[in-house]
């Protein structure tokens, strides 16, 4: 059943202007700089219409950057759009590249990193109504760092590190 709310989206095509950029889509900071630790990440909201039950977003992690280490009660469905990097989902670190799909279950720690010399651009679908990110506490970090590979991977500081 369609919503009675008015759509905020304009019908038609929004052309890609350069890789990872589209006409009429604002390039925004990933988060407020003091809200959570991250490095060199931007965000774009591609679709956020009240008639959708989801929000479709695009994130780009610059050369050597990383997203926030966090978890949520909602799921994420991610498709790598461009570049190469790695992602942590739970206790698993995976190399990712354009075309790869990443599913992040509820309450699962996750973080994305771009390779040195590359960027990592990814499309992300989340619920339109969702909870706020949870950052790891000292106990969570100790548990994550019990794995040497995860301890080496995670970043929990904003620049400079």
């Amino acid at each position: 059943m369609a919503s009675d709310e008015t759509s905020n989206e304009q019908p038609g095509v929004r052309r890609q202007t350069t890789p990872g950029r589209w006409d009429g889509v604002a390039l925004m900071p990933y988060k407020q700089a003091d809200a959570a630790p991250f490095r060199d990440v931007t965000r774009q909201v591609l679709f956020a219409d009240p008639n959708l039950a989801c929000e479709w977003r695009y994130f780009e992690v610059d050369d050597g950057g990383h997203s926030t280490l966090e978890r949520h009660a909602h799921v994420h469905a991610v498709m790598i759009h461009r570049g190469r990097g790695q992602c942590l989902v739970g206790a698993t670190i995976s190399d990712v590249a354009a075309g790869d799909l990443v599913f992040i279950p509820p309450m699962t720690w996750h973080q994305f990193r771009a390779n040195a010399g590359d960027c990592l651009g990814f499309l992300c679908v989340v619920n339109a109504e969702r909870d706020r990110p949870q950052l790891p506490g000292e106990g969570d970090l100790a548990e994550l760092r019990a794995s040497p590979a995860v301890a080496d991977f995670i970043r929990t500081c904003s620049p400079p590190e």
Side-chain angles (χ1 to χ4, degrees), residues 6-98:
T6 303
S7 173
N8 296 324
E9 298 294 337
Q10 296 299 313
V13 174
R14 289 184 233 160
R15 301 278 178 214
Q16 181 173 253
T17 55
T18 59
R21 304 291 182 268
W22 292 268
D23 273 337
V25 178
L27 182 65
M28 299 178 284
Y30 171 56
K31 297 180 178 187
Q32 292 180 343
D34 60 348
F38 66 91
R39 181 175 170 187
D40 298 329
V41 183
T42 58
R43 173 175 60 101
Q44 296 174 70
V45 178
L46 304 178
F47 295 102
D49 189 282
N51 294 302
L52 291 171
C54 65
E55 189 172 282
W56 195 17
R57 308 169 304 167
Y58 178 74
F59 297 91
E60 198 159 276
V61 183
D62 285 338
D63 176 358
H66 61 85
S67 66
T68 301
L69 175 62
E70 61 190 22
R71 67 182 180 186
H72 317 261
H74 60 273
V75 302
H76 290 65
V78 173
M79 180 178 188
I80 307 301
H81 177 68
R82 61 188 293 247
R84 294 184 173 278
Q86 294 79 39
C87 67
L88 170 73
V89 178
T92 303
I93 301 163
S94 301
D95 290 327
V96 291

